[in-house]
């Protein structure tokens, strides 16, 4: 399930929970809800945010999306943009809040 896979990714990458929810720009309470409720279905944008926070590969992101009940689709601009940046290992994005909807605005971070 989504919750278990997310937990495994956090452990595998040796991250603290606070690092993950901070990088994903989600609240501690929202992150706790995801971790503690195995039936919780996050929004697609939240799954993308967690995938980027965990710096998952595009294949790992597809698996995480599938576990959450979603798929990456070229029919959606956001999916295509995130897929491009992830497949080129360009991470870190921030959320812009407009009209009570979350839009992901990508910024390029290159070491």
């Amino acid at each position: 399930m989504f919750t278990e896979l997310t937990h495994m990714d956090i452990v595998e990458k040796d991250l603290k929970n606070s690092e993950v929810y901070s990088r994903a720009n989600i609240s501690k309470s929202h992150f706790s809800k995801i971790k503690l409720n195995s039936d919780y279905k996050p929004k697609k944008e939240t799954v993308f945010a967690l995938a980027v926070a965990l710096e998952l590969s595009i294949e790992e992101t597809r698996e995480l999306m599938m576990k959450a009940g979603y798929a990456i689709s070229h029919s959606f601009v956001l999916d295509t943009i995130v897929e491009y940046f992830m497949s080129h290992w360009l991470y870190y994005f921030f959320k812009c809040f407009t009209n009570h909807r979350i839009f992901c605005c990508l910024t390029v971070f290159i070491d």
Side-chain angles (χ1 to χ4, degrees), residues 1 3 6 13 15 18 23 29 34 43 50 53 59 66 68 84-85 92-93 97 103 110:
M1 293 189 122
T3 302
T6 303
K13 296 187 182 289
L15 295 170
S18 59
R23 288 180 185 180
S29 61
I34 292 168
K43 292 182 180 180
L50 288 168
E59 294 79 21
M66 185 185 71
Y84 172 83
F85 278 82
Y92 297 97
F93 68 93
F97 298 89
F103 294 91
I110 303 173

Side-chain angles (χ1 to χ4, degrees), residues 14-30:
D14 195 32
L15 295 170
K16 295 177 185 173
N17 289 337
S18 59
E19 289 176 293
V20 176
Y21 64 74
S22 180
R23 288 180 185 180
N25 198 24
I26 60 176
S27 69
K28 182 179 181 178
S29 61
H30 187 188

Side-chain angles (χ1 to χ4, degrees), residues 12-71:
E12 181 181 300
K13 296 187 182 289
D14 195 32
L15 295 170
K16 295 177 185 173
N17 289 337
S18 59
E19 289 176 293
V20 176
Y21 64 74
S22 180
R23 288 180 185 180
N25 198 24
I26 60 176
S27 69
K28 182 179 181 178
S29 61
H30 187 188
F31 184 76
S32 293
K33 189 187 302 186
I34 292 168
K35 277 193 71 165
L36 299 174
N37 184 351
S38 60
D39 295 327
Y40 182 73
K41 182 174 165 111
K43 292 182 180 180
K44 189 174 189 178
E45 292 85 358
T46 303
V47 181
F48 270 138
L50 288 168
V52 171
L54 292 165
E55 295 187 10
L56 299 181
S57 68
I58 193 64
E59 294 79 21
E60 293 168 319
T61 301
R62 283 190 181 107
E63 183 180 1
L64 189 65
M65 284 287 181
M66 185 185 71
K67 295 286 185 183
Y70 299 109

Side-chain angles (χ1 to χ4, degrees), residues 63-105:
E63 183 180 1
L64 189 65
M65 284 287 181
M66 185 185 71
K67 295 286 185 183
Y70 299 109
I72 297 174
S73 171
H74 293 144
S75 300
F76 299 104
V77 175
L78 175 62
D79 293 19
T80 304
I81 291 169
V82 173
E83 181 181 39
Y84 172 83
F85 278 82
M86 291 181 122
S87 64
H88 289 84
W89 294 94
L90 303 171
Y91 286 94
Y92 297 97
F93 68 93
F94 60 93
K95 294 180 179 181
C96 301
F97 298 89
T98 308
N99 296 330
H100 305 290
R101 294 184 59 194
I102 298 172
F103 294 91
C104 298
C105 302

